[in-house]
Amino acid sequence: MEDYNLWDLEGVHVKVKDCFLKKINNKIFSKFKVKRDFYNQYFKESNLPFYVFKNMLKSFYCSKFYVPLEFLLNVCDYLDLSKEELQKNVISYKSQGSVNFIDKPIFPIIINPVFDMIYAHNIGDGTVSIAKNRAPYFAYRQFNRFYREAYLKKIDFVFGNVIHKQINFKDITRVRCPSVLSSLFFKYYELDDRGFLSETARISSRIFEKGFESMVAVLCAFIIDEGYIDSTQISIVLKNHLLVEDLKKICDRLEYGASIVHKQGDYKDYSGVSILRNGMKRFYEDYVKVNKKYSLIDLGVKGERIRNSFNIINRQIIRVKGNQDLIISLLKNERLSVNQLANRINMTRQGVRYHIHNLLNDGKIRIIDKAQLNWIYGV
């Protein structure tokens, strides 16, 4: 697996251990007697004023403020201190102007399947935020609390403990990947912001160059963000035909028996990749293997739906007349789609559609909302 170090990131500001700062100052005094001489030799020609230079080497200042990594790298280089030693003594880091920071950082940063899954989430339900005078960062919109927290746990697993200011999961559904970390995704996958936009994104060639674990991780992210499951297939529907073809390519590589479906009518701009019945079983077996190695690659409730779907198809009777009464009773209390009804009553989507068709013809239920890909029904 590839790995990256702190100096591979962009716009980094750091806090270092006080003992290491003392070591730097002792080296300066040993070689130059006074800081002014050290400054005159190496920093005078720069735009860095001497008083700022002095402050950035003081314990009190460094305990309160973050110092540019580039400055400390230069200082260490001039004093024959390795950048690896500097990295070991970093206690937290962030980008300039960011309110979020990484505490107890993990170095080197390992590019593993969890990293690839974060990348896929940043395409699926992510956005690229570009603010004035700030580096771009990823924001992830997820209304399901389990998946929202899982996204942040994946970032912590790869990079260290990310401290998010004023996050309340009961109120906030859009969480951030700090810009200092976001920069590595742009760098590693060799993409600009368009490479992460839902309508222009493609699966990076780097994913196809890896083993099955990374490809499974990417599929899991899209199933969480854009997929739905019933007893006969897993479907991922997107408004990006080329991205759908990339997902189909992953399925073909892993021999999941998938097909592409192009929507019609009002949804002609959409297409989807469907992992069919036999492919579902093979995918789920691979997913279980990857989940055992990387527990954060977790499909949550959607994984349970896939597992439960293997039992639904074995039901001897799927169109029992009494199921119509059950559907009506559910729709009296809630407005639901075919997929939601299928999950509630443990029935195939096709079986639910059969009953919905008859109930509509009998005038016992009605269509509430056609504005979504999955129509909503009620009484």
Side-chain angles (χ1 to χ4, degrees):
M1 291 183 183
E2 296 176 72
D3 58 63
Y4 286 82
N5 293 289
L6 185 60
W7 50 86
D8 295 314
L9 305 179
E10 296 178 8
V12 180
H13 285 58
V14 301
K15 286 185 178 181
V16 297
K17 294 177 183 177
D18 190 57
C19 60
F20 185 69
L21 199 60
K22 288 179 179 176
K23 183 174 184 177
I24 288 176
N25 282 296
N26 288 336
K27 280 249 182 189
I28 292 173
F29 295 140
S30 175
K31 281 189 165 187
F32 299 90
K33 304 305 179 184
V34 293
K35 286 183 180 177
R36 172 67 76 173
D37 290 347
F38 179 57
Y39 171 83
N40 287 340
Q41 182 166 336
Y42 294 110
F43 292 94
K44 189 174 183 179
E45 300 303 319
S46 69
N47 294 323
L48 182 68
F50 178 64
Y51 77 91
V52 176
F53 167 84
K54 281 199 308 179
N55 283 338
M56 290 195 297
L57 294 176
K58 289 180 179 178
S59 296
F60 175 75
Y61 181 93
C62 291
S63 66
K64 292 185 64 177
F65 303 104
Y66 284 82
V67 174
L69 174 65
E70 184 178 3
F71 167 74
L72 289 177
L73 284 171
N74 287 332
V75 169
C76 289
D77 183 46
Y78 300 145
L79 297 174
D80 296 322
L81 293 169
S82 71
K83 56 186 179 182
E84 288 78 13
E85 185 177 0
L86 168 60
Q87 179 170 262
K88 288 178 182 178
N89 284 279
V90 170
I91 57 177
S92 67
Y93 68 97
K94 69 183 190 73
S95 62
Q96 186 176 15
S98 176
V99 296
N100 302 329
F101 61 92
I102 297 82
D103 188 40
K104 299 177 181 177
I106 297 171
F107 296 116
I109 299 165
I110 306 297
I111 307 300
N112 55 35
V114 177
F115 184 93
D116 294 319
M117 190 172 184
I118 299 169
Y119 153 73
H121 279 309
N122 290 337
I123 295 175
D125 271 341
T127 58
V128 181
S129 294
I130 303 175
K132 187 177 180 180
N133 299 323
R134 287 190 59 186
Y137 64 87
F138 294 111
Y140 179 65
R141 173 76 74 183
Q142 176 58 254
F143 293 95
N144 181 290
R145 179 171 180 171
F146 173 83
Y147 293 135
R148 188 167 66 246
E149 291 183 345
Y151 174 80
L152 295 176
K153 288 177 181 177
K154 289 169 194 139
I155 293 174
D156 288 352
F157 175 78
V158 174
F159 296 102
N161 186 22
V162 180
I163 307 300
H164 299 267
K165 295 288 187 179
Q166 299 178 339
I167 278 197
N168 184 339
F169 288 111
K170 293 182 179 179
D171 301 322
I172 295 176
T173 58
R174 183 174 180 266
V175 293
R176 297 178 178 182
C177 175
S179 57
V180 70
L181 306 183
S182 297
S183 68
L184 185 56
F185 290 94
F186 291 109
K187 182 175 185 175
Y188 177 72
Y189 295 106
E190 299 178 342
L191 298 170
D192 58 16
D193 61 308
R194 287 183 58 80
F196 290 91
L197 299 179
S198 59
E199 295 187 7
T200 55
R202 301 290 303 274
I203 300 299
S204 169
S205 61
R206 281 185 172 268
I207 298 298
F208 295 103
E209 295 165 0
K210 300 186 179 189
F212 88 99
E213 291 177 341
S214 289
M215 288 188 279
V216 168
V218 167
L219 276 181
C220 285
F222 277 97
I223 290 170
I224 288 170
D225 294 338
E226 306 290 350
Y228 60 89
I229 297 108
D230 67 17
S231 62
T232 59
Q233 63 184 16
I234 300 169
S235 296
I236 302 169
V237 179
L238 301 167
K239 198 176 181 180
N240 181 336
H241 301 309
L242 293 176
L243 182 55
V244 167
E245 290 178 6
D246 289 341
L247 295 173
K248 169 67 161 53
K249 184 177 177 181
I250 289 178
C251 293
D252 291 344
R253 290 277 185 94
L254 299 175
E255 300 180 354
Y256 288 160
S259 63
I260 290 179
V261 177
H262 296 280
K263 300 294 182 180
Q264 304 294 325
D266 293 340
Y267 305 108
K268 66 179 185 299
D269 293 334
Y270 290 84
S271 60
V273 59
S274 295
I275 303 175
L276 306 178
R277 183 74 192 160
N278 290 333
M280 283 176 69
K281 292 181 179 179
R282 189 180 184 103
F283 163 75
Y284 190 76
E285 290 171 358
D286 285 347
Y287 158 68
V288 170
K289 292 176 187 176
V290 176
N291 175 258
K292 284 182 179 178
K293 187 173 180 180
Y294 300 99
S295 61
L296 288 173
I297 298 178
D298 188 351
L299 284 170
V301 66
K302 290 192 175 182
E304 294 173 13
R305 287 177 189 168
I306 295 172
R307 185 176 66 251
N308 293 336
S309 74
F310 300 141
N311 299 322
I312 295 175
I313 199 65
N314 296 324
R315 292 180 59 181
Q316 293 182 349
I317 301 175
I318 64 173
R319 293 179 179 175
V320 177
K321 189 74 174 177
N323 282 330
Q324 289 191 10
D325 296 331
L326 180 56
I327 290 171
I328 291 172
S329 67
L330 286 171
L331 293 180
K332 283 181 179 179
N333 298 314
E334 297 181 77
R335 296 175 174 184
L336 301 169
S337 67
V338 167
N339 294 336
Q340 290 169 323
L341 284 165
N343 290 330
R344 295 288 183 86
I345 61 179
N346 201 33
M347 184 185 292
T348 66
R349 213 156 36 107
Q350 289 79 358
V352 172
R353 282 204 183 100
Y354 168 81
H355 290 302
I356 289 290
H357 176 75
N358 290 334
L359 289 169
L360 286 170
N361 287 338
D362 294 342
K364 294 180 179 179
I365 65 171
R366 62 194 176 94
I367 299 169
I368 302 295
D369 184 5
K370 288 185 178 182
Q372 304 180 48
L373 282 175
N374 296 314
W375 289 4
I376 305 299
Y377 302 92
V379 175

